[in-house]
Amino acid sequence: MFGIKSRILGLLAVALLLLWPVTAPAQKSKYGVQDLDPTQQGRVDGVGIASRDIASMADLTIRDLLTRPDIAGRPTAPRIVIDGEFFRNQSSQRIDREMITDSLRVQLNRAANGRLRFVNRENLMAVDRERSLKSEGVTDGGTMARRAIAGADYQLIGKITSLDSRSTKSGTYQRRTQIIFELLDLETSELVWTGEPYVILRASDEDVVNQ
C-alpha cells in the first residue's frame, strides 16, 4: 500500500513539474548603454557623416571666420542668418541639415563674443505676435524702446555632395563626402567668404543607415 502511494505521489510531482510555467533566463545584453564622446568615433559608424565630423567641421568654420578682419573685425558687428533653409544636401546620405547648422550657429555665437550677431528667421511669428500685443495695448512696451525687426547682412549657405563606390568582389563600401560653407552678401549676392571644403573619404565592409 505504501509503495502504491509513493508511486502516485511521484507521478503527481512529475506532472506538476511538467505543467509549471518555465521562464527563459533573461538574455544579458553584450553591451550596456554607454555615454560616448561625440568628437570621437562611435560604436555604430558607417561611411557617411558622423557625429565627430559635425563637431570638427563646426570648429574649422568658426576658426576660419573669426580670423577674417573684414567680417569679424568690423567696428559694427555684422548680422548673419544661419539655418538649414539654404544648406542643401545633395549627397546620397540622409542627414538632418538643421543639426549641422544649429551646432554651427550655437558654437559660433559663443565664440564670436559679440564680434558677430545672429538673426533668427525661423521664429518671426513669435516676434510678430508679441509686437501686435504691445501695439494693441494688451501688454506694455517692455523694457526696451520699440525697434525695427533686425535685417541681416549675410546668410551662411552650404552644400553636401558625395561620390559612392562599392566593390563587387568584397562588398566594401566607399564614400567621398564634401561639405562646403559660404557667406552670402544679402545685398550684392557676393560670396564674401568660402571655407575650405571639408572632405570625408571613408570605407567600410558594412554600410550604416542614418535615420
Side-chain angles (χ1 to χ4, degrees):
M1 186 72 178
F2 181 77
I4 295 174
K5 286 184 178 181
S6 298
R7 189 176 301 172
I8 293 172
L9 289 173
L11 291 173
L12 287 173
V14 171
L16 286 173
L17 288 174
L18 291 173
L19 294 173
W20 192 265
V22 178
T23 302
Q27 295 293 323
K28 187 175 180 180
S29 175
K30 184 178 180 181
Y31 298 107
V33 176
Q34 295 180 347
D35 289 328
L36 304 175
D37 184 347
T39 64
Q40 302 297 320
Q41 182 174 353
R43 198 189 314 161
V44 178
D45 216 354
V47 297
I49 298 174
S51 175
R52 66 184 185 278
D53 298 314
I54 295 175
S56 181
M57 74 175 74
D59 182 65
L60 289 174
T61 301
I62 291 166
R63 290 174 184 272
D64 197 4
L65 271 176
L66 293 182
T67 59
R68 289 288 300 265
D70 58 329
I71 299 171
R74 289 170 44 180
T76 301
R79 298 170 181 170
I80 303 175
V81 178
I82 301 179
D83 56 32
E85 184 177 2
F86 297 102
F87 185 55
R88 294 176 291 168
N89 178 21
Q90 296 180 347
S91 72
S92 57
Q93 178 179 356
R94 180 181 177 183
I95 189 167
D96 186 347
R97 299 171 301 163
E98 299 288 349
M99 183 168 55
I100 295 177
T101 54
D102 286 351
S103 176
L104 186 58
R105 184 182 62 253
V106 169
Q107 293 185 55
L108 187 55
N109 198 358
R110 291 171 61 87
N113 197 26
R115 289 181 286 169
L116 304 173
R117 301 185 71 84
F118 300 88
V119 179
N120 184 287
R121 288 287 182 261
E122 298 176 286
N123 298 290
L124 283 178
M125 188 178 294
V127 177
D128 185 61
R129 181 180 63 183
E130 185 62 25
R131 290 167 69 90
S132 295
L133 291 173
K134 292 174 182 176
S135 297
E136 295 166 6
V138 178
T139 67
D140 63 20
T143 61
M144 295 183 288
R146 183 68 180 266
R147 296 164 295 167
I149 294 176
D153 301 303
Y154 303 117
Q155 170 91 41
L156 189 75
I157 62 176
K159 185 190 299 183
I160 307 174
T161 53
S162 66
L163 175 65
D164 290 20
S165 304
R166 182 179 182 180
S167 170
T168 56
K169 290 185 177 180
S170 65
T172 301
Y173 293 88
Q174 178 176 291
R175 178 177 298 155
R176 183 189 192 276
T177 305
Q178 178 175 282
I179 304 98
I180 294 177
F181 290 106
E182 297 180 305
L183 205 60
L184 175 69
D185 187 315
L186 292 175
E187 287 290 338
T188 67
S189 78
E190 293 178 278
L191 294 174
V192 298
W193 169 85
T194 298
E196 183 177 351
Y198 187 86
V199 178
I200 305 164
L201 182 60
R202 195 165 287 155
S204 174
D205 291 334
E206 296 181 355
D207 197 14
V208 172
V209 177
N210 294 82
Q211 297 181 338

